[in-house]
Amino acid sequence: MQLKKTLSVGKIPCGKGAFARIEYWCGGTPVDRRGALRKNQKESFRRKPHEHGKDGWCMKQYTVAILGATGAVGQEMLKILEERQFPVRKLLLLASEKSAGKELSFRGAQVPVEPAAPEAFQGADFVLGAASSAVARRFAPAIRASGAVFVDNSSAFRLEPEVPLVVPEVNPADARNHKGLIANPNCSTIIAATALGALQKRSPILSVTASTYQAVSGAGAGGPIELLEQTA
């Protein structure tokens, strides 16, 4: 049985009239108010799972929109948000007029898909782009004007000098230099950069020769279906 003790309880504002309870753990052993470890103890802090109210941790919640939510990439983003327990206060699923009205599952609830429009991004903190380059360029001005951070998965802004091109495992700090827009490389480049970035830290890399074999899923949800029909 793991023991815990609350060293100090601080009242941290957490929404209207609620406060967060602050607890320090160290491998089941309490630490002092300064967070200092007792002698010869290994540091192993962990937080309690997110809970609301005075007995839980106060974690900021975000309004997250997925542009292109019904496509293969958009549905994977939705899955990862749930798997990683990202603190989503409100979820906006946006897609074309054709897909509007559908419902997608998130945390045991059905969330309706709404048509993507400039006004649909109002109130969003983050917009995850899972649509084509043309769609990303079309809505980028409205997203930035709404005050949201647009994290785009398309190729629309990858070569723009003022837009940080980020692989979290390689250059996460660059994301802080955004002006409302963050781009990422394509799938094969991300995987290669993750491995090469680790190697570069150990020894300088002079040149790289890369050959890629792209997955049909890169063409969207219709790619695997087309391949299945062609090979049936």
Side-chain angles (χ1 to χ4, degrees):
M1 178 183 296
Q2 186 180 37
L3 302 176
K4 78 176 180 67
K5 178 180 178 182
T6 302
L7 267 296
S8 61
V9 178
K11 287 192 172 183
I12 308 299
C14 180
K16 295 182 179 180
F19 295 90
R21 181 187 182 97
I22 306 303
E23 297 184 344
Y24 293 98
W25 291 16
C26 179
T29 306
V31 296
D32 66 23
R33 290 179 182 271
R34 298 181 302 278
L37 296 171
R38 291 178 178 170
K39 190 175 181 180
N40 299 324
Q41 289 179 342
K42 182 179 179 181
E43 182 174 2
S44 179
F45 291 104
R46 70 183 181 89
R47 290 185 175 183
K48 295 179 63 178
H50 172 259
E51 301 172 1
H52 286 292
K54 65 180 182 180
D55 292 323
W57 282 93
C58 177
M59 183 180 293
K60 184 176 181 179
Q61 303 284 294
Y62 299 96
T63 297
V64 179
I66 300 179
L67 177 60
T70 56
V73 176
Q75 292 186 49
E76 188 66 19
M77 289 178 173
L78 187 64
K79 177 182 176 183
I80 292 174
L81 285 174
E82 184 166 354
E83 286 180 351
R84 299 290 180 89
Q85 298 183 348
F86 191 83
V88 178
R89 177 179 66 246
K90 182 179 180 181
L91 181 65
L92 304 174
L93 301 180
L94 307 175
S96 64
E97 291 281 355
K98 181 180 178 181
S99 297
K102 293 182 179 180
E103 292 186 339
L104 299 178
S105 177
F106 182 70
R107 294 179 180 171
Q110 295 299 114
V111 182
V113 177
E114 303 175 16
E119 61 273 14
F121 305 101
Q122 293 298 321
D125 297 300
F126 298 102
V127 177
L128 306 181
S132 66
S133 297
V135 172
R137 289 191 180 278
R138 174 186 171 192
F139 288 111
I143 294 172
R144 297 171 81 174
S146 73
V149 178
F150 185 19
V151 183
D152 184 41
N153 192 60
S154 79
S155 61
F157 306 102
R158 289 172 182 164
L159 299 181
E160 298 290 336
E162 72 279 6
V163 178
L165 185 65
V166 176
V167 177
E169 294 81 1
V170 179
N171 61 332
D174 287 355
R176 297 183 180 276
N177 300 324
H178 73 83
K179 297 179 181 178
L181 182 57
I182 300 171
N184 63 255
N186 72 356
C187 51
S188 59
T189 303
I190 292 172
I191 298 300
T194 301
L196 293 172
L199 292 173
Q200 175 72 14
K201 293 178 180 178
R202 300 298 298 269
S203 178
I205 297 175
L206 300 181
S207 66
V208 174
T209 300
S211 299
T212 67
Y213 300 85
Q214 301 288 342
V216 293
S217 58
I225 297 174
E226 182 180 351
L227 177 62
L228 182 63
E229 293 173 346
Q230 292 174 350
T231 55

